[in-house]
Amino acid sequence: MIFNRASVGALCFWHDIISIMLWVLIIVIGLSIGSFVNVLIARTPSGKKISGRSKCPECGVAIRWYDLVPILSFVVLYGRCRACGRRISWRYPLVELITVAVFGVLFLMAGGAFTFQLFFLWVISAGLIALAGCDLEKFILPDSLIAGLSAFVLVFKAVTSPSELISMCVTGFLLALGFGILFLVSRGLWLGLGDVKLAFLVGLILNYPLAIVVVLGAIWSAAIVGVILVAVRRASFKSALPFGTFLAGASVVAIIFNNEIIKFSEQLFQ
């Protein structure tokens, strides 16, 4: 079949249109899930139902649907509640932007194809972002989120990679055991019980040796941030840090850069 220059140009044009539409879809999905992650951060630490209309945390007025458009509503309202005029937390647009960025990168890594593995990574990443936000904002890692994500990982892996189940569970158990010992020895001063449960989840998701590297990276990151906060007099050596935020955040980074980190970990644990 012979294609002339016009037909080749038309094919390129439609290819570009489809690519743009596809990325618009990814952005819409990412922002929508990011908005849902914000709901999880706002409600799950206090045990509230995630269903029902969103309300302003300051005045309690129900937020209209047109004020719930991710990013856009925040910009249009100049970051303030329409009803009472009080400031809206920057956490809302930041979480939405982080979620859509992570979703976009994972989509690129999947070769621009919608697969079950991509869906799995999207769900896990969104859950970890929610956990990071909960711990950062409330110093709480909700059991419902950790249990739900753990069950999701186990079911997905049982269907797709049953041979990995034992090593995943062993890694999760050993990490939780190590964190549990630290929790008991420090009587909850060094870390919380939620961190122990999150360590188990991280072991399930990342497996050995990637999970070990992530834990070490989270510990070092938390230590560096802690020292910086003390140096600028924003905290003291007795101040609590949301370690779950560092651990969940490092896990999202590891999901994205897993190949590079695995190569590093293989050299580290040789």
Side-chain angles (χ1 to χ4, degrees):
M1 183 179 292
I2 300 176
F3 292 95
N4 56 35
R5 190 172 297 177
S7 61
V8 171
L11 287 173
C12 292
F13 171 78
W14 285 112
H15 178 269
D16 292 341
I17 293 296
I18 293 172
S19 297
I20 292 172
M21 292 176 63
L22 189 59
W23 275 107
V24 169
L25 176 62
I26 297 299
I27 291 171
V28 170
I29 292 174
L31 290 177
S32 299
I33 299 301
S35 181
F36 178 68
V37 168
N38 272 319
V39 173
L40 294 176
I41 295 172
R43 300 186 186 184
T44 52
S46 56
K48 296 179 181 178
K49 294 181 179 180
I50 60 175
S51 59
R53 294 184 62 180
S54 297
K55 298 180 180 179
C56 172
E58 299 294 339
C59 64
V61 173
I63 302 174
R64 303 289 181 88
W65 66 268
Y66 46 79
D67 287 335
L68 291 172
V69 180
I71 306 296
L72 182 61
S73 292
F74 186 86
V75 174
V76 170
L77 294 171
Y78 298 101
R80 294 183 179 274
C81 171
R82 186 185 295 273
C84 65
R86 296 190 181 181
R87 289 193 177 277
I88 301 171
S89 172
W90 276 93
R91 183 253 294 168
Y92 291 93
L94 285 176
V95 165
E96 290 162 358
L97 286 172
I98 290 171
T99 304
V100 74
V102 171
F103 276 34
V105 171
L106 291 175
F107 179 69
L108 280 176
M109 291 174 57
F114 290 98
T115 63
F116 286 115
Q117 180 67 16
L118 177 64
F119 171 74
F120 171 76
L121 294 178
W122 275 359
V123 172
I124 293 302
S125 298
L128 290 170
I129 293 171
L131 287 168
C134 289
D135 203 31
L136 181 63
E137 193 166 283
K138 303 288 179 61
F139 281 89
I140 295 175
L141 292 166
D143 288 341
S144 57
L145 281 180
I146 295 177
L149 287 172
S150 298
F152 176 73
V153 173
L154 288 171
V155 171
F156 184 86
K157 290 297 183 179
V159 174
T160 60
S161 307
S163 60
E164 297 179 10
L165 279 176
I166 295 178
S167 62
M168 288 166 45
C169 291
V170 170
T171 302
F173 174 76
L174 291 177
L175 285 179
L177 179 62
F179 275 53
I181 292 172
L182 290 175
F183 173 77
L184 293 174
V185 169
S186 68
R187 298 182 180 179
L189 293 178
W190 297 345
L191 46 78
L193 192 56
D195 297 316
V196 178
K197 300 171 186 176
L198 179 57
F200 175 75
L201 173 62
V202 170
L204 284 183
I205 296 171
L206 301 178
N207 211 339
Y208 177 85
L210 188 56
I212 308 298
V213 177
V214 165
V215 169
L216 294 175
I219 292 172
W220 277 104
S221 300
I224 293 171
V225 170
V227 170
I228 292 173
L229 290 175
V230 170
V232 297
R233 298 182 179 180
R234 296 293 299 272
S236 69
F237 285 108
K238 293 183 179 180
S239 299
L241 281 177
F243 181 70
T245 299
F246 293 94
L247 186 53
S251 298
V252 174
V253 172
I255 288 173
I256 295 174
F257 298 104
N258 61 87
N259 291 330
E260 292 77 8
I261 297 176
I262 286 175
K263 290 179 182 178
F264 171 76
S265 64
E266 287 175 348
Q267 296 176 353
L268 186 66
F269 291 103
Q270 278 182 350

